[in-house]
Structures are given as structure tokens and as C-alpha cells.
């Protein structure tokens, strides 16, 4: 991933930071996404939110549901619907694996990051995740707090 961040075309558009807190991510996969022209232009300006969105498999196709892409002001008559379902692109093998994973108890597909890759194409990284219980969330918070405290102590005494 270090190579991608050095590339001038690589740009994170939207990140679902809450996903790693609410879910235990077991695996992640990079997907293409079918967009309209005004959506791509809006993404280049950074107007997107994937925090409340999720991915689902319907009739053998992968869909991104409830993601928000801001309207593009210059596309007056040829604009896009902000919260429409967007089709995602994965290989048949990956689709079968994702479908099998989601059939297990408690597994879901969570969008993690929406970004432009090194070729300038919009990509979405989705995670195969299991929902955390409240105790697990508290444990994650405690670990994060302890790591912060540890860094603070090392900074003071180091």
C-alpha cells in the first residue's frame, strides 16, 4: 500500500472509519464500481459519504446500497441521483466467495474505503465482516486508549 500512497493519482475520497469499530473485518476485497459521468466529477471534488452504506448480493450481482455522492453543480440536466444503488464489479470467483461468506451466521459486506487507484479509476474496498458485540467494542476502545497512553508516556520519558 505504500506504493499506492506515493502515486500522484492515488486519492482517498471517502473512508468508513466507524466500520472497524462496529465490525471485526475478516477479509477485504477491491471492487470496481459503475458510475455516471457527473458522479465521477463529483468524486474528484471529494463529495462522497459511505458511512451508512452497505453492500449486498442480489441475483448474482454485487450492489452498493445507500452510498451518497454529492450532486455535481455543472451537470444541470444530466445530473445523477445522490443515493441510488450502484453496481460493483468483481470476478465470478470473488462473487462466489463473497456469497458463501455472507451465508455464514452474522457475516456482512461493509464498504471500507472509496478511492481513485493509481490509474485514476474509482475503486471501493469492501470488507467481509462480523458485527461486534458491545463488550468487544469496549475492548477495542480500551486498547486504543492504552496505546495512546503508552505513546504519551514514551514521549514524556523518552
Amino acid at each position: 500500500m505504500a506504493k499506492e500512497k506515493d502515486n500522484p493519482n492515488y486519492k482517498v475520497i471517502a473512508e468508513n472509519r466507524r466500520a472497524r469499530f462496529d465490525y471485526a473485518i475478516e477479509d477485504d476485497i477491491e471492487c470496481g464500481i459503475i458510475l455516471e459521468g457527473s458522479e465521477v466529477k463529483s468524486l474528484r471534488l471529494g463529495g462522497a459519504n459511505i458511512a451508512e452504506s452497505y453492500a449486498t448480493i442480489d441475483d448474482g450481482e454485487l450492489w452498493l446500497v445507500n452510498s451518497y455522492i454529492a450532486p455535481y453543480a455543472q451537470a444541470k440536466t444530466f445530473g445523477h441521483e445522490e443515493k441510488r444503488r450502484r453496481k460493483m464489479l468483481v470476478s465470478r470467483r470473488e462473487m462466489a466467495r463473497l456469497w458463501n461468506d455472507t451465508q455464514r451466521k452474522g457475516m456482512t459486506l461493509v464498504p471500507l474505503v472509496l478511492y481513485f487507484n493509481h490509474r485514476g479509476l474509482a475503486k471501493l474496498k469492501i470488507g467481509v465482516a462480523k458485527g461486534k458485540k458491545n463488550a468487544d467494542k469496549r475492548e477495542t476502545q480500551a486498547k486504543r486508549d492504552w496505546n495512546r497512553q503508552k505513546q504519551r508516556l514514551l514521549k514524556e520519558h523518552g
Side-chain angles (χ1 to χ4, degrees):
M1 194 123 173
K3 273 195 273 181
E4 290 177 343
K5 292 199 166 122
D6 296 335
N7 194 306
N9 292 334
Y10 182 83
K11 179 185 172 193
V12 173
I13 304 160
E15 190 173 4
N16 189 354
R17 300 183 71 209
R18 184 100 183 138
R20 296 200 189 273
F21 181 74
D22 289 335
Y23 299 95
I25 310 294
E26 287 190 6
D27 191 21
D28 60 3
I29 186 170
E30 182 182 72
C31 303
I33 184 166
I34 296 178
L35 298 171
E36 295 176 2
S38 60
E39 291 174 327
V40 175
K41 293 199 178 229
S42 180
L43 289 179
R44 294 233 181 260
L45 297 175
N49 184 3
I50 58 170
E52 302 95 34
S53 62
Y54 61 96
T56 184
I57 298 174
D58 285 341
D59 299 327
E61 294 179 335
L62 188 60
W63 294 91
L64 179 64
V65 182
N66 204 27
S67 64
Y68 173 79
I69 297 178
Y72 185 63
Q74 283 79 3
K76 298 209 181 342
T77 54
F78 300 103
H80 63 272
E81 204 178 311
E82 288 103 14
K83 285 207 169 208
R84 72 178 180 90
R85 286 172 44 129
R86 294 171 177 90
K87 189 173 176 182
M88 294 193 294
L89 305 169
V90 291
S91 70
R92 285 177 195 247
R93 182 183 297 138
E94 289 170 338
M95 178 72 73
R97 188 175 60 82
L98 289 174
W99 191 82
N100 286 334
D101 288 346
T102 56
Q103 295 307 306
R104 293 190 314 203
K105 185 176 176 230
M107 301 302 281
T108 186
L109 300 174
V110 181
L112 302 174
V113 184
L114 180 62
Y115 60 95
F116 286 112
N117 70 357
H118 66 283
R119 291 176 48 204
L121 300 174
K123 298 287 182 178
L124 181 73
K125 187 174 282 190
I126 60 172
V128 179
K130 187 175 182 86
K132 285 186 183 177
K133 305 250 186 304
N134 279 339
D136 297 333
K137 291 180 187 178
R138 283 193 292 271
E139 186 180 313
T140 303
Q141 183 71 36
K143 279 183 189 172
R144 190 180 309 127
D145 290 345
W146 169 239
N147 285 335
R148 272 197 207 121
Q149 187 69 23
K150 207 166 35 171
Q151 291 299 323
R152 206 173 287 132
L153 290 171
L154 287 172
K155 200 175 196 181
E156 288 174 8
H157 301 294

